[in-house]
Amino acid sequence: MFSSTLRAASKRRGLAPSHRPILKRCSRCQSSANFMTNTPVKARNSPTWRPVSVLDEWVAKEARPISLRQLMVFGRSLTEARLISSANYVRTELPTRIAHRIRDMQQLPYVVVENPHIKDVYNLYYNAFDTFRKVKEIKTLDDNDRLCEIISDNLKKHLTVIPKLAMGIHECEGLFDAKEMDRFMNTILKSRISRRVIAEQHLSLSETYNSPHFSPGAKLSESDFIGEVFIKCNAKSVIESCAAATRKIARSTNAPDVKVPEIKIEGHLETSFPYILSHLEYIIGELLRNSIQAVIDWHGKHGHPEDEPPPIEVTIAEAPQHATIRISDRGGGIPRQELPYLWAFSKGPHSQQRLANLGRVPKMAATMQELHIEDDLGRADLKTPPYQSSLATLTSRPPDLRLGMGLPLSRVYAEYWAGNLDVHSLEGYGVDAFLQISRLGNKNEQVITRASMDAV
């Protein structure tokens, strides 16, 4: 009752979001009593005044999730009318999804929101929301071109979001319940993926439509992309390309005489499914990278220098509804003290080192392409779009820089399309990682469609 009265009073006064009083439990004290931060005096670097009622109007709306199949059906026979319809979906869906995440951030404890990294993300989100909500209905191809310029510009600006969020979470350790913080991170990262999916899909469709070789309404073959969706994504091919890239990284980050384990692929080698290629590459790349380094380290301590390190075995299994990829290594398993933090963004035994490493990564699109050294993954079929996309090489992240985000972010990607990622460790022997993927593309994106902490 008291909390709702405070929110209503804040709305009437038109306080800036980060200046609104927030009623939260203090995680530093064991008391269950609530505390309220005092409304601070406006400082020189405080965010500009923003009317709360504008955000409320958009938070009252609900996001409309989509599936891979919907993306494919919509883009398979592309016409001008369909492209403009796609533009208007993006025009209204982006500010709706951003508004709900802004509201989630407003409900964090004030001390967390005031963290400089979290505040930067908040301002990026609000500026993007303010930009997209003012875009008028798209009626012509010229209108669509202007929208694409706005989308492309925002995609580029938001490449700083993941490292800033991660640094903010690490710095706020102890100020907020760790499980709640991880839940917040999962929500905001899935939402970020969802916005990039619909934004990049529309940019890709627009690029296709404007191509001189495009014929409106033309059918596409199963070997083609529909926007960013690879119609027939072959699991074996993706694993092979990621294996080549990660083994090359391992050779560059270890001594020249260090032997890199082979990667063997077996099982249902013809398994394919519709998927967004960069998502699958990120997951497989991170899992292989972890396994390769674990085997190298374990073999260096316990194996004979003349012996070859044990291979990493990848098994592909196909079922009617889903496909499963198992990655097995003999790299000694995961130390017991690290297991409780395996999927955590916020803390762990190496949190301070991770924080220092994150400070060296100004941008992060969370793609395999960030780990390239000289060339690409060896694929001839993947286009490099001219717009700033998470499919493009947008960062210079050193390949040996450990951020502690690979597994939790990989699970976020896996769960986004109703899949799953699980890891089983046998300490002293090795690890089995199981990635399950929906094969039919008929599952909606798994996103929170409303503000998870306070809807309105």
PDB file of all heavy atoms in Angstrom, residues 22 90 155 227 326 345 392 434:
ATOM      1  N   ILE A  22      12.666   4.370  -4.022  1.00  0.00           N
ATOM      2  CA  ILE A  22      12.549   2.944  -4.275  1.00  0.00           C
ATOM      3  C   ILE A  22      12.455   2.217  -2.946  1.00  0.00           C
ATOM      4  O   ILE A  22      13.274   2.410  -2.049  1.00  0.00           O
ATOM      5  CB  ILE A  22      13.762   2.423  -5.071  1.00  0.00           C
ATOM      6  CG1 ILE A  22      13.791   3.118  -6.435  1.00  0.00           C
ATOM      7  CG2 ILE A  22      13.705   0.918  -5.239  1.00  0.00           C
ATOM      8  CD1 ILE A  22      14.999   2.790  -7.242  1.00  0.00           C
ATOM      9  N   VAL A  90       8.401  -3.730 -35.890  1.00  0.00           N
ATOM     10  CA  VAL A  90       9.633  -3.341 -35.192  1.00  0.00           C
ATOM     11  C   VAL A  90       9.470  -1.979 -34.534  1.00  0.00           C
ATOM     12  O   VAL A  90       9.893  -1.767 -33.388  1.00  0.00           O
ATOM     13  CB  VAL A  90      10.820  -3.327 -36.180  1.00  0.00           C
ATOM     14  CG1 VAL A  90      12.077  -2.774 -35.517  1.00  0.00           C
ATOM     15  CG2 VAL A  90      11.086  -4.729 -36.712  1.00  0.00           C
ATOM     16  N   LEU A 155      21.891  -0.288 -32.636  1.00  0.00           N
ATOM     17  CA  LEU A 155      22.604  -1.552 -32.470  1.00  0.00           C
ATOM     18  C   LEU A 155      24.072  -1.304 -32.149  1.00  0.00           C
ATOM     19  O   LEU A 155      24.670  -1.971 -31.298  1.00  0.00           O
ATOM     20  CB  LEU A 155      22.487  -2.406 -33.730  1.00  0.00           C
ATOM     21  CG  LEU A 155      21.131  -3.057 -34.012  1.00  0.00           C
ATOM     22  CD1 LEU A 155      21.166  -3.769 -35.350  1.00  0.00           C
ATOM     23  CD2 LEU A 155      20.745  -4.028 -32.909  1.00  0.00           C
ATOM     24  N   GLY A 227      16.343 -13.545 -43.985  1.00  0.00           N
ATOM     25  CA  GLY A 227      16.857 -12.561 -43.032  1.00  0.00           C
ATOM     26  C   GLY A 227      18.061 -13.165 -42.328  1.00  0.00           C
ATOM     27  O   GLY A 227      19.031 -13.576 -42.957  1.00  0.00           O
ATOM     28  N   ARG A 326      25.994 -33.229 -27.504  1.00  0.00           N
ATOM     29  CA  ARG A 326      26.775 -33.491 -26.283  1.00  0.00           C
ATOM     30  C   ARG A 326      28.254 -33.263 -26.585  1.00  0.00           C
ATOM     31  O   ARG A 326      28.790 -33.792 -27.563  1.00  0.00           O
ATOM     32  CB  ARG A 326      26.576 -34.929 -25.798  1.00  0.00           C
ATOM     33  CG  ARG A 326      27.341 -35.228 -24.494  1.00  0.00           C
ATOM     34  CD  ARG A 326      27.242 -36.687 -24.107  1.00  0.00           C
ATOM     35  NE  ARG A 326      27.954 -37.550 -25.054  1.00  0.00           N
ATOM     36  CZ  ARG A 326      28.014 -38.875 -24.960  1.00  0.00           C
ATOM     37  NH1 ARG A 326      27.361 -39.498 -23.994  1.00  0.00           N
ATOM     38  NH2 ARG A 326      28.679 -39.580 -25.860  1.00  0.00           N
ATOM     39  N   PHE A 345      26.162 -14.721 -12.957  1.00  0.00           N
ATOM     40  CA  PHE A 345      26.796 -13.542 -13.529  1.00  0.00           C
ATOM     41  C   PHE A 345      27.469 -12.695 -12.452  1.00  0.00           C
ATOM     42  O   PHE A 345      28.387 -11.939 -12.728  1.00  0.00           O
ATOM     43  CB  PHE A 345      25.755 -12.653 -14.238  1.00  0.00           C
ATOM     44  CG  PHE A 345      25.232 -13.231 -15.514  1.00  0.00           C
ATOM     45  CD1 PHE A 345      24.028 -13.900 -15.546  1.00  0.00           C
ATOM     46  CD2 PHE A 345      25.945 -13.100 -16.696  1.00  0.00           C
ATOM     47  CE1 PHE A 345      23.529 -14.421 -16.724  1.00  0.00           C
ATOM     48  CE2 PHE A 345      25.464 -13.621 -17.887  1.00  0.00           C
ATOM     49  CZ  PHE A 345      24.248 -14.286 -17.897  1.00  0.00           C
ATOM     50  N   ALA A 392      28.601  -9.247 -37.260  1.00  0.00           N
ATOM     51  CA  ALA A 392      29.839  -8.666 -37.767  1.00  0.00           C
ATOM     52  C   ALA A 392      30.903  -8.651 -36.679  1.00  0.00           C
ATOM     53  O   ALA A 392      30.613  -8.753 -35.497  1.00  0.00           O
ATOM     54  CB  ALA A 392      29.571  -7.245 -38.259  1.00  0.00           C
ATOM     55  N   PHE A 434      25.463 -30.731 -22.354  1.00  0.00           N
ATOM     56  CA  PHE A 434      24.338 -31.145 -23.189  1.00  0.00           C
ATOM     57  C   PHE A 434      23.571 -29.905 -23.651  1.00  0.00           C
ATOM     58  O   PHE A 434      23.036 -29.148 -22.830  1.00  0.00           O
ATOM     59  CB  PHE A 434      23.395 -32.063 -22.411  1.00  0.00           C
ATOM     60  CG  PHE A 434      23.997 -33.392 -22.045  1.00  0.00           C
ATOM     61  CD1 PHE A 434      24.736 -33.540 -20.878  1.00  0.00           C
ATOM     62  CD2 PHE A 434      23.833 -34.504 -22.869  1.00  0.00           C
ATOM     63  CE1 PHE A 434      25.294 -34.765 -20.532  1.00  0.00           C
ATOM     64  CE2 PHE A 434      24.386 -35.729 -22.535  1.00  0.00           C
ATOM     65  CZ  PHE A 434      25.130 -35.858 -21.366  1.00  0.00           C
TER      66      PHE A 434
END
